[in-house]
Amino acid sequence: MEEAHNGFNIKTRIVSCKNFHLVDKLFSISLDNATTNKRAMEFLKEDFSINLLLNGSLMHVKCCAHILNLCCDEYGLREKVIALNTSTRWNSTYKLLHNAIAYRDILTDMYNESRASDGQFITNDHWSLAKIIHDVLRTFNNATHIFSYVYEPNIHMVILECIKIICTIKQTSLANPGPSVKRLLDNMKVKWCAYFTEFPPIYAIAAILDPGVKLEGLTNLLTFYYQQLDVSFDVPQYVNKCKRILERLCEDYGAVIQPQPVGSSMGASRFGILEPILKKQLPDGSWSSSSSSSNIGRRVLDEKRSRLSSESIEMC
């Protein structure tokens, strides 16, 4: 806008956008609480040439992010954008609570002031519940970061991280016997069991190949896991099944890739351009690879013995 940014000019500019048919679609506008913005909304509602839904009662929506940042200045905290929650992602709930708990005083004052008329206030009990949920979901968030590794292996850590999650859920349930917390954790456990009552064998095989776990360690981990999960499961049978799969994998790989015996020659082909240098010329002028060096050694030794015999005969 080239003209002055006052309420009337802002309203005029909005109404003048006829090419986009905005005037006929005005429902609500999110703005901060600046005086010019408030006056612009008042001018819009007073213009009877505009048909506003519900007479413009929903027109001005105060910008929560801007108001939050203004409160941050009063509390001496830096401005913050609170992450939004996604119902299908527990990590988004963790991030929302993580930021909200740090700014609990600001959010409490903002919310309680806005709900003064109906008495629906945020209390310390609400924040205590938020802290419990936050601590549980932190384990999920940490596991997600580990599972998202790109430049280092992580599949062998899946079972370990899953055990940490279940232990956190169970310990939190025991430490907080309240009905709201118990109901929440029970629902999480049901959802969890739908996916991880039995691990895909590839996770177990990766754990077996981990030098710090191996076969015995996997058996102990899974036994502990199902105890924490309170689920009956035949761990030895599952581990044996994974062991047989691993054995079949080794057999299949062995049929395709023939391993070189320890200490044997790998052949001259792996030396690339140095291969000709590694070849030795035979007495008849032909070339042989370094893999025939033992034959060459015997031929040279026979020739030396023959030459020594000739010299001895001549001396005689």
Side-chain angles (χ1 to χ4, degrees):
M1 292 175 55
E2 297 179 358
E3 61 271 23
H5 289 197
N6 56 44
F8 181 80
N9 289 337
I10 292 175
K11 172 259 181 184
T12 303
R13 180 57 68 95
I14 293 175
V15 175
S16 65
C17 297
K18 296 181 179 180
N19 292 337
F20 299 99
H21 304 287
L22 293 180
V23 178
D24 300 329
K25 302 175 182 178
L26 287 178
F27 175 70
S28 65
I29 300 178
S30 179
L31 297 167
D32 60 46
N33 226 23
T35 303
T36 55
N37 292 334
K38 292 175 63 178
R39 289 294 296 150
M41 298 301 101
E42 292 172 1
F43 281 126
L44 278 173
K45 289 186 286 185
E46 294 170 357
D47 192 335
F48 295 104
S49 65
I50 306 174
N51 296 321
L52 299 177
L53 293 174
L54 300 180
N55 297 321
S57 59
L58 302 176
M59 177 57 64
H60 187 192
V61 179
K62 298 178 181 179
C63 178
C64 295
H66 183 77
I67 296 172
L68 173 62
N69 289 332
L70 292 176
C71 295
C72 289
D73 293 336
E74 297 180 7
Y75 282 83
L77 298 172
R78 67 190 184 108
E79 298 179 355
K80 187 71 174 181
V81 176
I82 303 299
L84 298 179
N85 182 49
T86 303
S87 59
T88 57
R89 296 197 61 183
W90 287 345
N91 285 348
S92 69
T93 307
Y94 165 76
K95 293 176 182 178
L96 182 149
L97 292 175
H98 185 74
N99 292 330
I101 290 173
Y103 288 73
R104 58 177 292 177
D105 294 335
I106 300 173
L107 294 173
T108 300
D109 289 347
M110 284 180 54
Y111 184 85
N112 290 349
E113 182 180 350
S114 66
R115 303 302 295 268
S117 59
D118 56 17
Q120 299 294 324
F121 300 134
I122 295 179
T123 66
N124 289 333
D125 290 339
H126 292 122
W127 285 113
S128 297
L129 179 60
K131 183 64 167 59
I132 293 172
I133 299 172
H134 166 271
D135 292 345
V136 171
L137 295 182
R138 177 170 52 195
T139 310
F140 284 89
N141 187 69
N142 293 340
T144 301
H145 283 292
I146 292 176
F147 297 161
S148 300
Y149 286 166
V150 175
Y151 298 110
E152 55 184 286
N154 55 11
I155 191 171
H156 64 290
M157 303 174 69
V158 171
I159 294 179
L160 293 172
E161 293 302 317
C162 288
I163 292 175
K164 292 179 183 178
I165 291 173
I166 290 303
C167 285
T168 300
I169 292 177
K170 184 169 184 177
Q171 291 171 3
T172 304
S173 180
L174 294 175
N176 301 274
S180 58
V181 175
K182 186 177 186 305
R183 183 171 59 254
L184 171 68
L185 296 178
D186 287 344
N187 291 337
M188 293 178 68
K189 183 178 174 182
V190 170
K191 189 71 172 180
W192 179 271
C193 289
Y195 291 94
F196 291 122
T197 296
E198 180 175 342
F199 291 105
I202 190 66
Y203 296 158
I205 291 173
I208 294 173
L209 295 176
D210 186 339
V213 180
K214 298 183 179 180
L215 200 62
E216 181 179 358
L218 175 64
T219 303
N220 296 335
L221 286 174
L222 291 178
T223 301
F224 178 74
Y225 172 76
Y226 291 108
Q227 289 175 351
Q228 300 300 306
L229 199 60
D230 297 323
V231 171
S232 177
F233 190 82
D234 193 340
V235 174
Q237 180 180 356
Y238 172 78
V239 172
N240 287 332
K241 181 182 74 172
C242 295
K243 180 182 177 182
R244 290 194 298 270
I245 294 174
L246 181 57
E247 290 172 347
R248 290 199 301 269
L249 285 173
C250 292
E251 292 174 358
D252 290 344
Y253 273 109
V256 177
I257 303 174
Q258 295 295 333
Q260 290 287 337
V262 178
S264 65
S265 173
M266 294 292 292
S269 59
R270 65 188 177 96
F271 295 102
I273 61 174
L274 297 180
E275 182 177 356
I277 300 176
L278 296 174
K279 291 182 177 180
K280 295 181 180 297
Q281 189 173 21
L282 300 178
D284 60 357
S286 62
W287 288 85
S288 175
S289 65
S290 58
S291 60
S292 303
S293 56
S294 58
N295 294 331
I296 296 173
R298 285 195 295 270
R299 293 180 183 180
V300 171
L301 182 59
D302 292 338
E303 291 176 358
K304 185 175 182 180
R305 288 174 177 173
S306 176
R307 186 171 59 255
L308 288 174
S309 299
S310 302
E311 290 176 353
S312 299
I313 293 174
E314 290 178 358
M315 290 179 63
C316 295

